[in-house]
Structures are given as C-alpha cells and as structure tokens.
Amino acid sequence: MPVVAAKSYVEYRNDAYWVEGTRISLDSVVYAFRGGLSPESIVQSFPLLTLEQVYGA
C-alpha cells in the first residue's frame, strides 16, 4: 500500500500564519469565511489562491 504524504497549506513565518507560498495571511481567509463568504467567493476575492488552498487552509 503506497504511503501518502500530507500536504501543507499553512506556514508560520514572521510571527504570523500565511497560506503557504503566498503573501495572503490565514487571518484574511478565516475572516472572509466567518463573514459568510463561500470558498468559491474567497477565491474570487483572492485570485492568487486556488480552491484547494482555501479548503486546505
């Protein structure tokens, strides 16, 4: 059975959490979600993110 490595979507740098490989803070994604935006709407608000990154974060 093959081993599947977990993919990381969040990284900690400069005393904050960020969507890995981007300059978009995790806070921005969480606040958008808590504000009622769907993951698809968050991708439209942050075009650098993919839908996979939003769900992963």
Side-chain angles (χ1 to χ4, degrees):
M1 182 171 209
V3 175
V4 179
K7 189 168 183 180
S8 176
Y9 294 98
V10 176
E11 63 184 344
Y12 183 78
R13 67 176 191 270
N14 301 329
D15 296 326
Y17 289 95
W18 305 88
V19 177
E20 188 163 331
T22 71
R23 294 175 59 188
I24 300 170
S25 69
L26 181 60
D27 286 350
S28 298
V29 176
V30 171
Y31 286 135
F33 184 76
R34 292 192 67 190
L37 291 181
S38 68
E40 291 79 7
S41 297
I42 294 171
V43 169
Q44 289 177 351
S45 297
F46 299 97
L48 293 176
L49 295 179
T50 65
L51 193 55
E52 178 183 357
Q53 288 173 309
V54 173
Y55 274 106

